[in-house]
Amino acid sequence: MLNFDFYNPTQILFGKGRIADLNKVVPADAKVLLMYGGGSIKHNGVFDEVIAALGSRSVTEFTGIEPNPSYETLMKAVEVVKQNKIDFLLAVGGGSVIDGAKFVAAAALFEGDDPWAILEKRGTNITKALPFGSVLTLPATGSEMNNGSVVTRKSLKAKMAFSSRHCFPLFSVLDPTKTYTLPLRQVGNGAVDAFVHVMEQYMTYPVNAPVQDRFAEGLLKTLIEEGPKALANPEDYDVRANLMWCATMALNGMISTGVPQDWATHMIGHELTALHGLDHAQTLAIVLPSMLRIRKEAKRAKLLQYAERVWDLREGRDGDEDSRIDAAIGKTQDFFEQMGVKTHLSDYAIKASDIPPLVSALENHRMVALGEKRDVTLDISRQVLELSL
Ligand code: NZQ
Ligand code: ZN
């Protein structure tokens, strides 16, 4: 096992009716900026419950945070924070709103000229941030219990990530009943995103870390079992609860302790969103199967372990090593399709001629040595995209 430093201060308030407990965790004298997206929280009762729980606290609203939150929109929120002397942010929504709150929390106290530098330096230049909490309505990103954020600067067509130990939510409320209203597309997206998060931390090479491996395999199997049930029975509480906790555990730092990490699929995916507007999970469903096929030799030992433990493909019974690996990758791709997320570039009208600009964008963003061994060159990224057509 590799050395590691594990730190996660986020308090989780999980279960039915927990939004009311905002009253206990938001400071009583807070001047709150209530941040949300396009309005789903107004239709499913979440907004009303949040306002009731905040009681007599001063609340300013900031709405219109879009999926793949933009720097342009978030800088308007920074202005509102400064004008109204806001001292606490409350993000209510999915990963985009929570990521947006992280950026605003850091940008509002940023001492440089332009907070875009936070993205350019990947968060290493953050020295402080406003305190914030979240109410999660879409299980997917893990943003509710991690310190990462992804922001898009539309004018540059750049989607970039940062992280900082100052950007953990103080708390996150996870009420599975609030996910009943999710469109099926977002249910599928959420399961695929969480699945790929686990894969980015698990599907590398063995370092004799059985706790992390079995934990990761448990999350993958749970997503495979529960994901389709959520599509079939949107109001099954236990299914929603298990999916919600799964997505949080997939990216809260637990399974990445002491193991190598990949993240090449995510970095290529970010360019697909920036240039073609695909949902985050759509990009992952396209890239991951091809990435595994192209990097089969580097990942051989873990692919065989994955085939056996996650997909029950056994030595002797299910063919030789290569056929078991191929079958496991095929089943992964089938699972994404089963969740309603298409897995080819052509499904989204992206053509071979679109690949060179994607590779150039990776180069511009210095994504030239990706993966757990930093050996995913631009040429390999291009091959992955070509195999995804
Ligand atoms: O904006 P509203 O009206 O709220 O609608 C949203 C949005 O249109 C809707 N929605 C959310 N909860 C709902 C609901 N609709 C009905 N009922 C509910 N309960 O869902 C749509 C998508 O929301 P969004 O927040 O964009 O989705 P998601 O949670 O998948 O977040 C995606 C963003 O997170 C980033 C992605 O890159 C992307 O920008 N990521 C953040 C990560 C992190 N912080 O660790 C890691 C991830 O890899 C990812 O990169
Ligand atoms: Zn993701």
mmCIF file of all heavy atoms in Angstrom, residues 276-316:
data_model
loop_
_atom_site.group_PDB
_atom_site.id
_atom_site.type_symbol
_atom_site.label_atom_id
_atom_site.label_comp_id
_atom_site.label_asym_id
_atom_site.label_seq_id
_atom_site.Cartn_x
_atom_site.Cartn_y
_atom_site.Cartn_z
ATOM 1 N N HIS A 276 -18.401 19.957 -26.929
ATOM 2 C CA HIS A 276 -19.633 19.452 -27.554
ATOM 3 C C HIS A 276 -20.853 19.464 -26.634
ATOM 4 O O HIS A 276 -21.936 19.026 -27.035
ATOM 5 C CB HIS A 276 -19.395 18.036 -28.097
ATOM 6 C CG HIS A 276 -18.373 17.999 -29.198
ATOM 7 N ND1 HIS A 276 -18.663 18.313 -30.493
ATOM 8 C CD2 HIS A 276 -17.040 17.738 -29.168
ATOM 9 C CE1 HIS A 276 -17.563 18.223 -31.242
ATOM 10 N NE2 HIS A 276 -16.559 17.887 -30.452
ATOM 11 N N GLY A 277 -20.678 19.910 -25.403
ATOM 12 C CA GLY A 277 -21.832 20.085 -24.517
ATOM 13 C C GLY A 277 -22.444 18.807 -23.973
ATOM 14 O O GLY A 277 -23.566 18.816 -23.473
ATOM 15 N N LEU A 278 -21.740 17.688 -24.054
ATOM 16 C CA LEU A 278 -22.307 16.440 -23.526
ATOM 17 C C LEU A 278 -22.419 16.508 -22.004
ATOM 18 O O LEU A 278 -21.613 17.173 -21.344
ATOM 19 C CB LEU A 278 -21.409 15.253 -23.901
ATOM 20 C CG LEU A 278 -21.699 14.557 -25.227
ATOM 21 C CD1 LEU A 278 -21.579 15.507 -26.387
ATOM 22 C CD2 LEU A 278 -20.746 13.378 -25.415
ATOM 23 N N ASP A 279 -23.379 15.753 -21.443
ATOM 24 C CA ASP A 279 -23.437 15.611 -19.987
ATOM 25 C C ASP A 279 -22.135 14.942 -19.529
ATOM 26 O O ASP A 279 -21.573 14.099 -20.240
ATOM 27 C CB ASP A 279 -24.594 14.697 -19.565
ATOM 28 C CG ASP A 279 -25.960 15.308 -19.839
ATOM 29 O OD1 ASP A 279 -26.024 16.497 -20.200
ATOM 30 O OD2 ASP A 279 -26.960 14.567 -19.704
ATOM 31 N N HIS A 280 -21.721 15.262 -18.312
ATOM 32 C CA HIS A 280 -20.477 14.691 -17.783
ATOM 33 C C HIS A 280 -20.464 13.155 -17.888
ATOM 34 O O HIS A 280 -19.512 12.558 -18.385
ATOM 35 C CB HIS A 280 -20.308 15.153 -16.334
ATOM 36 C CG HIS A 280 -19.166 14.520 -15.623
ATOM 37 N ND1 HIS A 280 -17.865 14.661 -16.049
ATOM 38 C CD2 HIS A 280 -19.123 13.716 -14.524
ATOM 39 C CE1 HIS A 280 -17.066 13.987 -15.229
ATOM 40 N NE2 HIS A 280 -17.806 13.401 -14.313
ATOM 41 N N ALA A 281 -21.547 12.520 -17.443
ATOM 42 C CA ALA A 281 -21.564 11.049 -17.423
ATOM 43 C C ALA A 281 -21.584 10.470 -18.836
ATOM 44 O O ALA A 281 -21.049 9.377 -19.068
ATOM 45 C CB ALA A 281 -22.766 10.544 -16.626
ATOM 46 N N GLN A 282 -22.186 11.175 -19.774
ATOM 47 C CA GLN A 282 -22.176 10.689 -21.163
ATOM 48 C C GLN A 282 -20.739 10.570 -21.661
ATOM 49 O O GLN A 282 -20.367 9.598 -22.318
ATOM 50 C CB GLN A 282 -22.984 11.644 -22.056
ATOM 51 C CG GLN A 282 -24.474 11.650 -21.729
ATOM 52 C CD GLN A 282 -25.248 12.730 -22.485
ATOM 53 O OE1 GLN A 282 -24.681 13.734 -22.923
ATOM 54 N NE2 GLN A 282 -26.546 12.533 -22.632
ATOM 55 N N THR A 283 -19.926 11.555 -21.319
ATOM 56 C CA THR A 283 -18.532 11.528 -21.781
ATOM 57 C C THR A 283 -17.795 10.324 -21.190
ATOM 58 O O THR A 283 -16.998 9.679 -21.860
ATOM 59 C CB THR A 283 -17.770 12.820 -21.399
ATOM 60 O OG1 THR A 283 -17.509 12.851 -19.990
ATOM 61 C CG2 THR A 283 -18.522 14.065 -21.806
ATOM 62 N N LEU A 284 -18.098 10.007 -19.938
ATOM 63 C CA LEU A 284 -17.403 8.902 -19.267
ATOM 64 C C LEU A 284 -17.828 7.563 -19.864
ATOM 65 O O LEU A 284 -17.000 6.658 -20.044
ATOM 66 C CB LEU A 284 -17.712 8.917 -17.768
ATOM 67 C CG LEU A 284 -17.458 10.239 -17.030
ATOM 68 C CD1 LEU A 284 -17.891 10.120 -15.572
ATOM 69 C CD2 LEU A 284 -15.986 10.639 -17.105
ATOM 70 N N ALA A 285 -19.123 7.441 -20.163
ATOM 71 C CA ALA A 285 -19.639 6.188 -20.733
ATOM 72 C C ALA A 285 -19.031 5.927 -22.105
ATOM 73 O O ALA A 285 -18.858 4.778 -22.512
ATOM 74 C CB ALA A 285 -21.166 6.251 -20.828
ATOM 75 N N ILE A 286 -18.683 6.982 -22.813
ATOM 76 C CA ILE A 286 -18.035 6.841 -24.128
ATOM 77 C C ILE A 286 -16.568 6.443 -23.954
ATOM 78 O O ILE A 286 -16.077 5.535 -24.617
ATOM 79 C CB ILE A 286 -18.089 8.184 -24.899
ATOM 80 C CG1 ILE A 286 -19.520 8.550 -25.252
ATOM 81 C CG2 ILE A 286 -17.208 8.127 -26.144
ATOM 82 C CD1 ILE A 286 -19.675 10.009 -25.723
ATOM 83 N N VAL A 287 -15.879 7.150 -23.060
ATOM 84 C CA VAL A 287 -14.412 7.034 -23.013
ATOM 85 C C VAL A 287 -13.939 5.789 -22.245
ATOM 86 O O VAL A 287 -12.980 5.128 -22.662
ATOM 87 C CB VAL A 287 -13.781 8.312 -22.398
ATOM 88 C CG1 VAL A 287 -12.264 8.161 -22.257
ATOM 89 C CG2 VAL A 287 -14.110 9.541 -23.248
ATOM 90 N N LEU A 288 -14.594 5.465 -21.130
ATOM 91 C CA LEU A 288 -14.026 4.399 -20.279
ATOM 92 C C LEU A 288 -13.852 3.055 -21.006
ATOM 93 O O LEU A 288 -12.774 2.462 -20.927
ATOM 94 C CB LEU A 288 -14.831 4.214 -18.988
ATOM 95 C CG LEU A 288 -14.182 3.161 -18.074
ATOM 96 C CD1 LEU A 288 -12.957 3.714 -17.345
ATOM 97 C CD2 LEU A 288 -15.161 2.579 -17.079
ATOM 98 N N PRO A 289 -14.885 2.540 -21.708
ATOM 99 C CA PRO A 289 -14.685 1.222 -22.339
ATOM 100 C C PRO A 289 -13.498 1.217 -23.311
ATOM 101 O O PRO A 289 -12.686 0.271 -23.309
ATOM 102 C CB PRO A 289 -16.016 0.969 -23.065
ATOM 103 C CG PRO A 289 -17.021 1.784 -22.290
ATOM 104 C CD PRO A 289 -16.270 3.019 -21.879
ATOM 105 N N SER A 290 -13.345 2.271 -24.097
ATOM 106 C CA SER A 290 -12.215 2.318 -25.039
ATOM 107 C C SER A 290 -10.894 2.458 -24.293
ATOM 108 O O SER A 290 -9.883 1.875 -24.691
ATOM 109 C CB SER A 290 -12.350 3.498 -26.001
ATOM 110 O OG SER A 290 -13.612 3.488 -26.582
ATOM 111 N N MET A 291 -10.899 3.263 -23.236
ATOM 112 C CA MET A 291 -9.677 3.433 -22.435
ATOM 113 C C MET A 291 -9.222 2.067 -21.900
ATOM 114 O O MET A 291 -8.034 1.736 -21.933
ATOM 115 C CB MET A 291 -9.974 4.393 -21.274
ATOM 116 C CG MET A 291 -8.815 4.675 -20.364
ATOM 117 S SD MET A 291 -7.524 5.629 -21.178
ATOM 118 C CE MET A 291 -8.244 7.260 -21.173
ATOM 119 N N LEU A 292 -10.161 1.271 -21.397
ATOM 120 C CA LEU A 292 -9.792 -0.042 -20.848
ATOM 121 C C LEU A 292 -9.276 -0.957 -21.958
ATOM 122 O O LEU A 292 -8.340 -1.741 -21.743
ATOM 123 C CB LEU A 292 -10.997 -0.677 -20.138
ATOM 124 C CG LEU A 292 -11.530 0.085 -18.915
ATOM 125 C CD1 LEU A 292 -12.720 -0.654 -18.298
ATOM 126 C CD2 LEU A 292 -10.432 0.279 -17.857
ATOM 127 N N ARG A 293 -9.894 -0.858 -23.130
ATOM 128 C CA ARG A 293 -9.426 -1.723 -24.237
ATOM 129 C C ARG A 293 -8.020 -1.334 -24.681
ATOM 130 O O ARG A 293 -7.160 -2.191 -24.870
ATOM 131 C CB ARG A 293 -10.408 -1.634 -25.419
ATOM 132 C CG ARG A 293 -11.727 -2.328 -25.106
ATOM 133 C CD ARG A 293 -12.705 -2.366 -26.268
ATOM 134 N NE ARG A 293 -13.911 -3.080 -25.844
ATOM 135 C CZ ARG A 293 -15.117 -2.527 -25.658
ATOM 136 N NH1 ARG A 293 -15.306 -1.241 -25.925
ATOM 137 N NH2 ARG A 293 -16.117 -3.247 -25.225
ATOM 138 N N ILE A 294 -7.784 -0.044 -24.818
ATOM 139 C CA ILE A 294 -6.466 0.415 -25.293
ATOM 140 C C ILE A 294 -5.387 0.153 -24.235
ATOM 141 O O ILE A 294 -4.241 -0.142 -24.566
ATOM 142 C CB ILE A 294 -6.516 1.931 -25.626
ATOM 143 C CG1 ILE A 294 -7.494 2.193 -26.765
ATOM 144 C CG2 ILE A 294 -5.128 2.513 -25.898
ATOM 145 C CD1 ILE A 294 -6.931 2.095 -28.152
ATOM 146 N N ARG A 295 -5.740 0.249 -22.971
ATOM 147 C CA ARG A 295 -4.719 0.125 -21.915
ATOM 148 C C ARG A 295 -4.789 -1.228 -21.201
ATOM 149 O O ARG A 295 -4.394 -1.360 -20.044
ATOM 150 C CB ARG A 295 -4.864 1.277 -20.923
ATOM 151 C CG ARG A 295 -4.635 2.617 -21.635
ATOM 152 C CD ARG A 295 -4.664 3.770 -20.679
ATOM 153 N NE ARG A 295 -3.603 3.641 -19.701
ATOM 154 C CZ ARG A 295 -3.728 4.034 -18.425
ATOM 155 N NH1 ARG A 295 -4.850 4.578 -18.003
ATOM 156 N NH2 ARG A 295 -2.718 3.901 -17.599
ATOM 157 N N LYS A 296 -5.269 -2.214 -21.937
ATOM 158 C CA LYS A 296 -5.478 -3.544 -21.379
ATOM 159 C C LYS A 296 -4.204 -4.131 -20.757
ATOM 160 O O LYS A 296 -4.253 -4.723 -19.679
ATOM 161 C CB LYS A 296 -5.965 -4.431 -22.524
ATOM 162 C CG LYS A 296 -6.332 -5.822 -22.184
ATOM 163 C CD LYS A 296 -7.216 -6.348 -23.309
ATOM 164 C CE LYS A 296 -6.793 -7.701 -23.785
ATOM 165 N NZ LYS A 296 -7.657 -8.229 -24.836
ATOM 166 N N GLU A 297 -3.059 -3.952 -21.417
ATOM 167 C CA GLU A 297 -1.833 -4.575 -20.873
ATOM 168 C C GLU A 297 -1.434 -3.917 -19.555
ATOM 169 O O GLU A 297 -1.112 -4.604 -18.587
ATOM 170 C CB GLU A 297 -0.686 -4.503 -21.894
ATOM 171 C CG GLU A 297 -0.871 -5.454 -23.069
ATOM 172 C CD GLU A 297 -1.361 -6.846 -22.654
ATOM 173 O OE1 GLU A 297 -0.853 -7.408 -21.661
ATOM 174 O OE2 GLU A 297 -2.283 -7.372 -23.309
ATOM 175 N N ALA A 298 -1.474 -2.590 -19.499
ATOM 176 C CA ALA A 298 -1.065 -1.881 -18.275
ATOM 177 C C ALA A 298 -1.981 -2.227 -17.106
ATOM 178 O O ALA A 298 -1.571 -2.175 -15.946
ATOM 179 C CB ALA A 298 -1.068 -0.381 -18.523
ATOM 180 N N LYS A 299 -3.237 -2.576 -17.413
ATOM 181 C CA LYS A 299 -4.222 -2.811 -16.360
ATOM 182 C C LYS A 299 -4.589 -4.292 -16.232
ATOM 183 O O LYS A 299 -5.560 -4.629 -15.558
ATOM 184 C CB LYS A 299 -5.485 -1.986 -16.655
ATOM 185 C CG LYS A 299 -5.285 -0.470 -16.552
ATOM 186 C CD LYS A 299 -6.565 0.273 -16.924
ATOM 187 C CE LYS A 299 -6.429 1.783 -16.863
ATOM 188 N NZ LYS A 299 -6.256 2.333 -15.523
ATOM 189 N N ARG A 300 -3.818 -5.164 -16.868
ATOM 190 C CA ARG A 300 -4.213 -6.573 -16.985
ATOM 191 C C ARG A 300 -4.560 -7.214 -15.640
ATOM 192 O O ARG A 300 -5.610 -7.841 -15.484
ATOM 193 C CB ARG A 300 -3.101 -7.363 -17.686
ATOM 194 C CG ARG A 300 -3.342 -8.855 -17.782
ATOM 195 C CD ARG A 300 -2.313 -9.519 -18.684
ATOM 196 N NE ARG A 300 -2.588 -9.275 -20.087
ATOM 197 C CZ ARG A 300 -3.359 -10.061 -20.854
ATOM 198 N NH1 ARG A 300 -3.909 -11.149 -20.336
ATOM 199 N NH2 ARG A 300 -3.578 -9.784 -22.107
ATOM 200 N N ALA A 301 -3.707 -7.054 -14.632
ATOM 201 C CA ALA A 301 -3.945 -7.757 -13.362
ATOM 202 C C ALA A 301 -5.252 -7.289 -12.721
ATOM 203 O O ALA A 301 -6.057 -8.109 -12.241
ATOM 204 C CB ALA A 301 -2.774 -7.518 -12.413
ATOM 205 N N LYS A 302 -5.489 -5.985 -12.727
ATOM 206 C CA LYS A 302 -6.716 -5.486 -12.112
ATOM 207 C C LYS A 302 -7.945 -5.822 -12.974
ATOM 208 O O LYS A 302 -9.025 -6.064 -12.455
ATOM 209 C CB LYS A 302 -6.634 -3.973 -11.857
ATOM 210 C CG LYS A 302 -5.846 -3.553 -10.612
ATOM 211 C CD LYS A 302 -6.230 -4.262 -9.349
ATOM 212 C CE LYS A 302 -6.977 -3.624 -8.232
ATOM 213 N NZ LYS A 302 -6.722 -2.329 -7.742
ATOM 214 N N LEU A 303 -7.771 -5.830 -14.292
ATOM 215 C CA LEU A 303 -8.907 -6.198 -15.148
ATOM 216 C C LEU A 303 -9.349 -7.639 -14.871
ATOM 217 O O LEU A 303 -10.550 -7.937 -14.833
ATOM 218 C CB LEU A 303 -8.539 -6.023 -16.627
ATOM 219 C CG LEU A 303 -8.650 -4.596 -17.167
ATOM 220 C CD1 LEU A 303 -7.943 -4.467 -18.520
ATOM 221 C CD2 LEU A 303 -10.117 -4.154 -17.293
ATOM 222 N N LEU A 304 -8.374 -8.519 -14.636
ATOM 223 C CA LEU A 304 -8.737 -9.914 -14.336
ATOM 224 C C LEU A 304 -9.435 -10.014 -12.981
ATOM 225 O O LEU A 304 -10.408 -10.752 -12.820
ATOM 226 C CB LEU A 304 -7.477 -10.792 -14.372
ATOM 227 C CG LEU A 304 -6.986 -11.120 -15.781
ATOM 228 C CD1 LEU A 304 -5.573 -11.701 -15.741
ATOM 229 C CD2 LEU A 304 -7.954 -12.087 -16.480
ATOM 230 N N GLN A 305 -8.933 -9.260 -12.019
ATOM 231 C CA GLN A 305 -9.573 -9.249 -10.693
ATOM 232 C C GLN A 305 -11.008 -8.706 -10.790
ATOM 233 O O GLN A 305 -11.938 -9.241 -10.191
ATOM 234 C CB GLN A 305 -8.737 -8.372 -9.752
ATOM 235 C CG GLN A 305 -9.293 -8.260 -8.351
ATOM 236 C CD GLN A 305 -8.396 -7.401 -7.460
ATOM 237 O OE1 GLN A 305 -7.170 -7.420 -7.584
ATOM 238 N NE2 GLN A 305 -9.007 -6.677 -6.542
ATOM 239 N N TYR A 306 -11.155 -7.640 -11.568
ATOM 240 C CA TYR A 306 -12.473 -7.012 -11.785
ATOM 241 C C TYR A 306 -13.424 -8.004 -12.471
ATOM 242 O O TYR A 306 -14.576 -8.159 -12.067
ATOM 243 C CB TYR A 306 -12.241 -5.772 -12.636
ATOM 244 C CG TYR A 306 -13.440 -5.068 -13.220
ATOM 245 C CD1 TYR A 306 -14.339 -4.374 -12.409
ATOM 246 C CD2 TYR A 306 -13.661 -5.046 -14.607
ATOM 247 C CE1 TYR A 306 -15.407 -3.674 -12.969
ATOM 248 C CE2 TYR A 306 -14.719 -4.357 -15.167
ATOM 249 C CZ TYR A 306 -15.597 -3.674 -14.341
ATOM 250 O OH TYR A 306 -16.652 -2.989 -14.889
ATOM 251 N N ALA A 307 -12.912 -8.689 -13.493
ATOM 252 C CA ALA A 307 -13.747 -9.651 -14.219
ATOM 253 C C ALA A 307 -14.276 -10.718 -13.258
ATOM 254 O O ALA A 307 -15.457 -11.074 -13.289
ATOM 255 C CB ALA A 307 -12.944 -10.298 -15.344
ATOM 256 N N GLU A 308 -13.404 -11.190 -12.374
ATOM 257 C CA GLU A 308 -13.822 -12.266 -11.477
ATOM 258 C C GLU A 308 -14.732 -11.767 -10.355
ATOM 259 O O GLU A 308 -15.808 -12.308 -10.115
ATOM 260 C CB GLU A 308 -12.593 -12.948 -10.866
ATOM 261 C CG GLU A 308 -12.992 -14.021 -9.867
ATOM 262 C CD GLU A 308 -11.830 -14.891 -9.419
ATOM 263 O OE1 GLU A 308 -10.793 -14.923 -10.100
ATOM 264 O OE2 GLU A 308 -11.984 -15.542 -8.365
ATOM 265 N N ARG A 309 -14.305 -10.708 -9.690
ATOM 266 C CA ARG A 309 -15.020 -10.317 -8.474
ATOM 267 C C ARG A 309 -16.266 -9.483 -8.744
ATOM 268 O O ARG A 309 -17.206 -9.520 -7.954
ATOM 269 C CB ARG A 309 -14.091 -9.535 -7.558
ATOM 270 C CG ARG A 309 -12.927 -10.382 -7.038
ATOM 271 C CD ARG A 309 -12.336 -9.680 -5.848
ATOM 272 N NE ARG A 309 -11.054 -10.239 -5.476
ATOM 273 C CZ ARG A 309 -10.209 -9.609 -4.651
ATOM 274 N NH1 ARG A 309 -10.512 -8.415 -4.175
ATOM 275 N NH2 ARG A 309 -9.081 -10.165 -4.316
ATOM 276 N N VAL A 310 -16.253 -8.687 -9.809
ATOM 277 C CA VAL A 310 -17.421 -7.836 -10.064
ATOM 278 C C VAL A 310 -18.392 -8.507 -11.038
ATOM 279 O O VAL A 310 -19.601 -8.438 -10.864
ATOM 280 C CB VAL A 310 -16.982 -6.441 -10.575
ATOM 281 C CG1 VAL A 310 -18.185 -5.573 -10.935
ATOM 282 C CG2 VAL A 310 -16.134 -5.750 -9.507
ATOM 283 N N TRP A 311 -17.864 -9.226 -12.036
ATOM 284 C CA TRP A 311 -18.743 -9.812 -13.066
ATOM 285 C C TRP A 311 -18.792 -11.338 -13.007
ATOM 286 O O TRP A 311 -19.399 -11.970 -13.884
ATOM 287 C CB TRP A 311 -18.312 -9.336 -14.459
ATOM 288 C CG TRP A 311 -18.487 -7.855 -14.640
ATOM 289 C CD1 TRP A 311 -17.513 -6.907 -14.705
ATOM 290 C CD2 TRP A 311 -19.735 -7.137 -14.751
ATOM 291 N NE1 TRP A 311 -18.060 -5.648 -14.860
ATOM 292 C CE2 TRP A 311 -19.417 -5.771 -14.892
ATOM 293 C CE3 TRP A 311 -21.089 -7.517 -14.750
ATOM 294 C CZ2 TRP A 311 -20.393 -4.766 -15.024
ATOM 295 C CZ3 TRP A 311 -22.056 -6.529 -14.886
ATOM 296 C CH2 TRP A 311 -21.706 -5.167 -15.020
ATOM 297 N N ASP A 312 -18.138 -11.928 -12.008
ATOM 298 C CA ASP A 312 -18.180 -13.377 -11.819
ATOM 299 C C ASP A 312 -17.704 -14.163 -13.046
ATOM 300 O O ASP A 312 -18.278 -15.194 -13.412
ATOM 301 C CB ASP A 312 -19.618 -13.808 -11.425
ATOM 302 C CG ASP A 312 -19.632 -15.212 -10.837
ATOM 303 O OD1 ASP A 312 -18.599 -15.621 -10.260
ATOM 304 O OD2 ASP A 312 -20.658 -15.910 -10.986
ATOM 305 N N LEU A 313 -16.681 -13.655 -13.690
ATOM 306 C CA LEU A 313 -16.096 -14.351 -14.850
ATOM 307 C C LEU A 313 -14.882 -15.126 -14.350
ATOM 308 O O LEU A 313 -13.890 -14.532 -13.934
ATOM 309 C CB LEU A 313 -15.690 -13.339 -15.925
ATOM 310 C CG LEU A 313 -16.862 -12.605 -16.565
ATOM 311 C CD1 LEU A 313 -16.417 -11.318 -17.233
ATOM 312 C CD2 LEU A 313 -17.580 -13.514 -17.561
ATOM 313 N N ARG A 314 -14.968 -16.455 -14.367
ATOM 314 C CA ARG A 314 -13.979 -17.282 -13.660
ATOM 315 C C ARG A 314 -13.006 -17.987 -14.585
ATOM 316 O O ARG A 314 -13.368 -18.391 -15.686
ATOM 317 C CB ARG A 314 -14.703 -18.331 -12.828
ATOM 318 C CG ARG A 314 -15.732 -17.733 -11.932
ATOM 319 C CD ARG A 314 -15.731 -18.320 -10.542
ATOM 320 N NE ARG A 314 -16.549 -17.427 -9.717
ATOM 321 C CZ ARG A 314 -16.134 -16.868 -8.618
ATOM 322 N NH1 ARG A 314 -14.920 -17.065 -8.176
ATOM 323 N NH2 ARG A 314 -16.934 -16.077 -7.927
ATOM 324 N N GLU A 315 -11.783 -18.133 -14.030
ATOM 325 C CA GLU A 315 -10.744 -18.882 -14.732
ATOM 326 C C GLU A 315 -11.250 -20.304 -14.956
ATOM 327 O O GLU A 315 -11.905 -20.873 -14.095
ATOM 328 C CB GLU A 315 -9.496 -18.900 -13.828
ATOM 329 C CG GLU A 315 -8.255 -19.326 -14.526
ATOM 330 C CD GLU A 315 -7.027 -19.272 -13.615
ATOM 331 O OE1 GLU A 315 -7.110 -18.682 -12.510
ATOM 332 O OE2 GLU A 315 -5.998 -19.844 -14.017
ATOM 333 N N GLY A 316 -10.947 -20.873 -16.122
ATOM 334 C CA GLY A 316 -11.395 -22.245 -16.385
ATOM 335 C C GLY A 316 -12.780 -22.259 -16.994
ATOM 336 O O GLY A 316 -12.977 -22.726 -18.099
#
